[in-house]
Amino acid sequence: MKETVKSFLLTLLVVCSLVQSYFLIYRLPGSDPVVKTENDYIKTENMGAEMRAEELIFPAQISVHMGENQHTVFYPDSMFYDLIYSRLKGRMFEGFQRNGVDNMNWTEIRSKYPGVELQFGSGVPVSLLQKVMQLSADPLFEEESIHRILIYTGENEERARVFFFSSHGDVVYEATKADLTVQDVRQQVDFGKDWIPYTLKDGYYIPEKPIDMVETLLKVGVFSTEQIQGSLFFDPSITRIIREKDGSEIYTDSKRSLQVRQDGNWINYTDPAAPSAGENSPASNALSSIDFVNQHGGWNGSYRLEQMDGSDEMDGVVFRQYFGNGQFGAFPIMDFRSFRFGTISLALRQGTITGYERSLLYVKAGDWDKQVVQLSGGQELRDKIEKLSDVINLYPAYLPSLSQEGLLLKPTWIVELSSGAVHELN
């Protein structure tokens, strides 16, 4: 009997020792384990700030239709843009009915009736749009991606009409129950009076007068390669460096690679062997991308979810940086091959991040050199546009360039062509 009790106590002591060892190594449930796997990353400290999806979803511009073919356009961070957008975010939209987009003459509606129009660029999944606007649950509607919202009041109509345009271009959804009165819409339209007049042409807007922007010279710093490398590799000490003929450097641990280009201020990270995990949908891909950036570099400034591309095997998410200075609003910073800056791009396979591109430049606090400049409007602008064919969009933006003095943001007009090409309008 004594031997049985001794054996039992010995076994109990061994089990307790093993349990204690487990908790010492892996800590308590829900906490980070001491032992890391190859797929774990170390969160980067003291770089950019973390952001929520709600902060990254907003219209590229808001157009105001005043009837009689009169329009104006407001840009992010301008006073009337913020007033209109904040009011619409507090309204409820329900009772979605699906219709063919060709069933109505939208150009005539924009020209004839007072209303406002929110333009989201290439589109935002409805499940993400629900984070910033009050949209009722609807199984069919929630599968869509929306690229513009049109709100207007027709003749002799007692309620405002609200339409959500699918990014696929073939259907539109009307919210038959909208928490908006005709008077609400008219108040928002009144914000456009006495502002710069715009003309609607082929789906985009041309200002009839020059518009003001601020040219700015920013003081910048550069995050070190070691900072970003430490967050992207399981063990940075085992990475090796490959130096290319073009001056770029590649850090690799034989599974992942980090290419540093453009004199050390642009990175291209790839992890082709990353295991698939999680849901694969446009909304979940965007959220996964936001989480990844939060943990690996953060956000240095204001960004907008701009583009979501997908194929049978790979998906991509692009965030574009916006810069604002004063009363004129905030405008996108263009990322051209001549100088990479202004975007954070991620590639995904089955919901897992496999690629990551961004700049390591960041703007320093302090006083900046700045001056107000004018972008052309009216006939002068039309003459420039007419030299191109198949223009589908026109908007003001910043063209960045780097010198010893700092980062210069030069205002410019940008045109998008039906082919997908984007050009500076000299």
Side-chain angles (χ1 to χ4, degrees):
M1 182 68 179
K2 290 182 179 180
E3 294 299 325
T4 302
V5 172
K6 288 181 180 180
S7 298
F8 174 77
L9 291 174
L10 182 60
T11 302
L12 183 62
L13 287 172
V14 171
V15 171
C16 290
S17 177
L18 291 173
V19 171
Q20 186 180 28
S21 298
Y22 173 84
F23 283 117
L24 285 173
I25 296 174
Y26 293 97
R27 301 185 183 181
L28 296 174
S31 64
D32 295 331
V34 174
V35 175
K36 299 285 185 178
T37 68
E38 287 189 354
N39 296 317
D40 290 325
Y41 296 97
I42 305 168
K43 182 177 177 180
T44 305
E45 302 293 345
N46 301 322
M47 291 182 68
E50 293 188 8
M51 298 185 75
R52 297 174 290 113
E54 294 88 325
E55 301 172 88
L56 299 161
I57 299 171
F58 53 89
Q61 63 184 43
I62 295 178
S63 306
V64 176
H65 311 301
M66 293 168 283
E68 299 180 353
N69 203 26
Q70 298 181 33
H71 316 269
T72 195
V73 176
F74 297 129
Y75 301 103
D77 282 352
S78 61
M79 180 176 64
F80 291 131
Y81 174 105
D82 290 340
L83 279 171
I84 294 173
Y85 191 39
S86 63
R87 290 186 179 186
L88 292 178
K89 287 193 293 185
R91 304 295 178 152
M92 188 69 189
F93 302 93
E94 303 176 277
F96 295 99
Q97 289 186 354
R98 175 175 172 146
N99 298 289
V101 72
D102 295 329
N103 290 348
M104 300 176 72
N105 187 333
W106 302 108
T107 300
E108 180 182 353
I109 289 172
R110 293 185 183 100
S111 300
K112 187 175 181 180
Y113 302 119
V116 295
E117 187 171 7
L118 284 63
Q119 296 167 261
F120 288 92
S122 62
V124 177
V126 169
S127 57
L128 291 183
L129 199 57
Q130 287 173 326
K131 292 181 175 294
V132 294
M133 299 186 71
Q134 299 186 48
L135 311 178
S136 65
D138 184 291
L140 184 62
F141 181 58
E142 287 177 349
E143 295 299 317
E144 285 286 357
S145 179
I146 301 302
H147 76 99
R148 72 174 64 222
I149 302 171
L150 175 62
I151 303 170
Y152 75 94
T153 59
E155 291 179 356
N156 302 319
E157 291 188 352
E158 298 180 354
R159 65 178 181 87
R161 303 194 68 178
V162 184
F163 293 89
F164 294 76
F165 290 77
S166 168
S167 300
H168 302 296
D170 55 345
V171 296
V172 62
Y173 294 81
E174 182 175 8
T176 58
K177 298 179 181 179
D179 183 23
L180 277 172
T181 66
V182 171
Q183 186 61 31
D184 290 332
V185 177
R186 288 176 178 170
Q187 287 179 353
Q188 295 178 359
V189 170
D190 285 343
F191 293 145
K193 292 182 178 179
D194 301 322
W195 210 250
I196 296 176
Y198 281 69
T199 298
L200 176 60
K201 174 180 171 61
D202 300 331
Y204 60 92
Y205 299 87
I206 301 176
E208 292 303 322
K209 298 179 180 179
I211 70 167
D212 292 330
M213 289 181 65
V214 179
E215 182 176 288
T216 311
L217 181 64
L218 304 172
K219 301 299 182 182
V220 294
V222 184
F223 292 119
S224 69
T225 304
E226 288 73 18
Q227 283 180 282
I228 195 69
Q229 181 190 1
S231 75
L232 294 172
F233 289 94
F234 166 65
D235 185 359
S237 66
I238 65 173
T239 60
R240 59 192 180 94
I241 303 176
I242 303 172
R243 289 180 172 81
E244 301 284 7
K245 293 181 179 179
D246 62 0
S248 64
E249 296 179 334
I250 298 177
Y251 296 78
T252 179
D253 61 359
S254 76
K255 292 184 178 180
R256 309 173 181 91
S257 69
L258 174 67
Q259 186 176 20
V260 183
R261 295 181 292 168
Q262 200 174 268
D263 295 328
N265 57 43
W266 183 265
I267 63 159
N268 184 346
Y269 168 76
T270 57
D271 186 6
S276 299
E279 181 186 355
N280 182 31
S281 69
S284 63
N285 286 345
L287 293 175
S288 295
S289 298
I290 293 169
D291 288 340
F292 190 90
V293 176
N294 282 339
Q295 297 171 19
H296 305 95
W299 310 85
N300 309 111
S302 174
Y303 284 81
R304 187 178 74 87
L305 174 61
E306 181 178 81
Q307 187 174 332
M308 303 186 68
D309 295 324
S311 63
D312 293 337
E313 296 184 357
M314 295 294 294
D315 298 284
V317 179
V318 178
F319 301 92
R320 183 170 298 281
Q321 186 171 359
Y322 274 62
F323 180 78
N325 197 331
Q327 63 182 355
F328 308 114
F331 303 91
I333 300 175
M334 302 309 297
D335 178 9
F336 289 133
R337 291 294 173 182
S338 57
F339 177 68
R340 302 302 310 273
F341 185 80
T343 59
I344 295 178
S345 305
L346 299 102
L348 301 95
R349 181 189 295 112
Q350 296 298 314
T352 299
I353 307 296
T354 60
Y356 180 40
E357 286 193 66
R358 66 172 299 158
S359 174
L360 293 181
L361 292 172
Y362 65 91
V363 177
K364 293 182 177 180
D367 295 330
W368 303 323
D369 295 334
K370 53 189 177 183
Q371 61 176 337
V372 177
V373 299
Q374 286 192 328
L375 294 183
S376 61
Q379 191 58 46
E380 180 182 354
L381 181 56
R382 285 192 181 84
D383 291 341
K384 296 178 181 180
I385 296 173
E386 288 175 357
K387 296 178 181 179
L388 302 170
S389 58
D390 300 322
V391 175
I392 61 171
N393 199 11
L394 170 75
Y395 56 88
Y398 284 112
L399 192 65
S401 60
L402 188 64
S403 68
Q404 292 183 348
E405 287 73 28
L407 180 70
L408 178 65
L409 297 182
K410 176 184 176 183
T412 185
W413 282 113
I414 296 294
V415 291
E416 294 182 11
L417 307 182
S418 58
S419 64
V422 178
H423 297 287
E424 175 195 6
L425 197 61
N426 293 321

